[in-house]
Amino acid sequence: MQVTGWPAHEAAVQRLVRSHAGIPTGSSVRLAKQTSNLFRPRAETGAPGLDVSGLTGVIEIGADGRTAQVQGMCTYEDLVAATLPHGLIPLVVPQLRTITLGGAVTGLGIESTSFRNGLPHESVLEMDVLTGSGEVVTARPDGEHADLFAAFPNSYGSLGYATRLQIELEPVPARVALRHLRFGDVDALAEALERIVTEREHEGVRVDGLDGVAFAPDELYLTLASHAAHGPGG
């Protein structure tokens, strides 16, 4: 995936700000997007939405510092496509490919690496946020808008919309080895889960990702993912 670059990003932010200014006073504010990862019906308001059409990409990859500048509507599918050529990946990658980075931060997200890397917002270094007043501000954990930075996760859009997020990345090899552990009851699985989360390994092998599924009360599985330099046989 080709990165967007800063000039295109700045132009997209200006379009967003203009679209915000065009929303009639008293009308609800929403994103003008065509897709949603909500598993429930969504009522149409008929009100114009914020123009986020140019905020769907990766602005810049800082491979040396293991960071990425990412637009709010960039999906994880596109984000990973931009970072993998550098041997890097976001610290947490949600399972649904069309989840956006901004959505995972404002609505929270979790996935198989969260047991060691936390939630998506915990790898955010700073962000630009379009506030309800139509102003775009930069929020950092130790900056002028530190309160906004701290409150933004799990705010579900009530505090504004993230136009840009700078996030941490981590190295990832070309392959991942999977192990599937079967358990006959929940207690045995919970005991193994607690041990793996604490020790970050199983049978002497590092665990980089962790997931689980239950097919029946007596048929449960933990799937362990380990970064691997080579596939089977070499």
Side-chain angles (χ1 to χ4, degrees):
M1 177 185 174
Q2 195 171 30
V3 297
T4 300
W6 289 103
H9 171 68
E10 294 300 335
V13 171
Q14 290 306 310
R15 289 197 301 273
L16 172 68
V17 171
R18 288 195 298 270
S19 70
H20 180 276
I23 296 176
T25 301
S27 298
S28 60
V29 179
R30 64 178 182 83
L31 302 182
K33 60 179 185 175
Q34 302 301 314
T35 61
S36 173
N37 287 296
L38 295 176
F39 295 99
R40 57 176 171 78
R42 192 175 205 171
E44 293 293 334
T45 64
L50 297 175
D51 183 359
V52 293
S53 59
L55 296 168
T56 61
V58 176
I59 306 168
E60 181 181 75
I61 303 293
D64 292 340
R66 296 179 183 174
T67 62
Q69 302 281 359
V70 188
Q71 295 176 306
M73 286 294 293
C74 182
T75 65
Y76 274 90
E77 180 177 26
D78 289 338
L79 175 54
V80 169
T83 63
L84 278 180
H86 300 276
L88 300 169
I89 198 168
L91 270 61
V92 180
V93 179
Q95 194 171 43
L96 298 178
R97 295 180 296 176
T98 56
I99 288 177
T100 63
L101 176 60
V105 171
T106 193
L108 294 191
I110 189 170
E111 201 41 70
S112 61
T113 59
S114 289
F115 77 100
R116 59 183 177 84
N117 289 335
L119 305 181
H121 70 270
E122 295 180 82
S123 59
V124 175
L125 301 173
E126 69 174 31
M127 65 181 100
D128 292 339
V129 178
L130 173 70
T131 66
S133 66
E135 179 186 11
V136 177
V137 301
T138 298
R140 302 183 183 91
D142 56 355
E144 181 181 358
H145 299 285
D147 53 347
L148 176 60
F149 185 92
F152 194 80
N154 205 33
S155 63
Y156 284 87
S158 62
L159 300 179
Y161 167 71
T163 63
R164 175 192 65 89
L165 304 99
Q166 182 185 23
I167 63 169
E168 295 179 82
L169 305 173
E170 68 176 359
V172 66
R175 299 177 183 273
V176 175
L178 299 180
R179 290 174 287 170
H180 304 287
L181 311 181
R182 179 170 178 168
F183 298 88
D185 62 77
V186 173
D187 290 341
L189 181 143
E191 181 181 346
L193 181 63
E194 182 178 8
R195 176 178 49 76
I196 293 169
V197 167
T198 300
E199 299 177 359
R200 308 289 179 89
E201 67 175 30
H202 176 67
E203 295 182 345
V205 179
R206 173 185 164 94
V207 176
D208 295 293
L210 178 61
D211 211 334
V213 63
F215 293 107
D218 60 350
E219 186 181 358
L220 310 98
Y221 294 86
L222 285 180
T223 295
L224 314 181
S226 300
H227 293 169
H230 305 284

